[in-house]
Amino acid sequence: MKLQVKVLNGQECTITTSPSSGVSDVKEQIQALLSIPVGDQKLVFKGKSLLDDKLLKDYSVEDGCKLTLVVKKVPSAMSKITSTAATKSESVPAKSVVEIDERPVWEQLRKFLKRHYREKDAEAVLVEFKKEFQQNLSSLSLDDIERLAITKLRQA
C-alpha cells in the first residue's frame, strides 16, 4: 500500500509499505527519503500519535492514507542560524541578525504588564490571558496548526 507523508514544513513523500509493517519501519523509510533521524520523528494519523512498537493496521491505516510527520528537534541548520543571531556574529550584516528574547513568553508578558498596571492587577490579567490562550489553543485542529506553520515558514 502507498501512504502519503506530509511534514509540517511543507515537504511530502510517498512510501510503500504493508498494513503489517511497524510504525518504526515507516520512520526508517522516512529517514532514508527525507534524512530526518528516526528519533526526531513523531507520526500522527487522524490526530493520534503513532507508537513505534505498534503496527499500521493497529491504527486502521489503509492504502492512500495521509500521515503527518512532526519533527521533534530543530534541524541543525536552524540551530546554526539561531546561534549566529544570538551571538551577533561580526560576519553577519546587522540587518540580517534577528534578536529574540529567549525568556518564556509568560515572563515577558508579566514584565510588560507590570509596566502598565499595579502588580496585583498585572497578575490577574496574566491569569486571564493564560486561560484564554489555553482555550484558543485547545480548539485548534491539526490542519489549523499546519496552516499556521506553513505561513510562518514562508515568512521566515
Side-chain angles (χ1 to χ4, degrees), residues 3 14 28 38 50 58 73 77 80 92 99 104 122 140 154 156:
L3 299 176
T14 302
E28 287 175 16
V38 171
L50 307 185
D58 295 338
K73 294 183 180 177
K80 287 178 187 174
V92 179
E99 290 188 42
L140 290 175
R154 286 184 185 148

Side-chain angles (χ1 to χ4, degrees), residues 5 42 55 57 67-68 81 84 86 90 96-97 104 130 133 136 138 143 147-148 154 156:
V5 178
K42 179 180 174 184
L55 303 177
K57 65 183 178 184
L67 302 177
T68 302
I81 292 169
T84 301
E90 295 301 320
S96 67
V97 175
K130 284 181 180 180
F133 179 80
N136 291 337
S138 64
D143 288 336
R147 279 191 294 276
L148 284 169
R154 286 184 185 148

Side-chain angles (χ1 to χ4, degrees), residues 63-74:
D63 186 38
C65 285
K66 180 178 170 181
L67 302 177
T68 302
L69 175 65
V70 178
V71 180
K72 294 179 185 177
K73 294 183 180 177
V74 176

Side-chain angles (χ1 to χ4, degrees), residues 25-44:
D25 298 329
V26 172
K27 287 183 174 185
E28 287 175 16
Q29 285 188 41
I30 293 169
Q31 179 178 355
L33 290 170
L34 301 176
S35 301
I36 300 171
V38 171
D40 295 350
Q41 297 178 28
K42 179 180 174 184
L43 284 173
V44 178

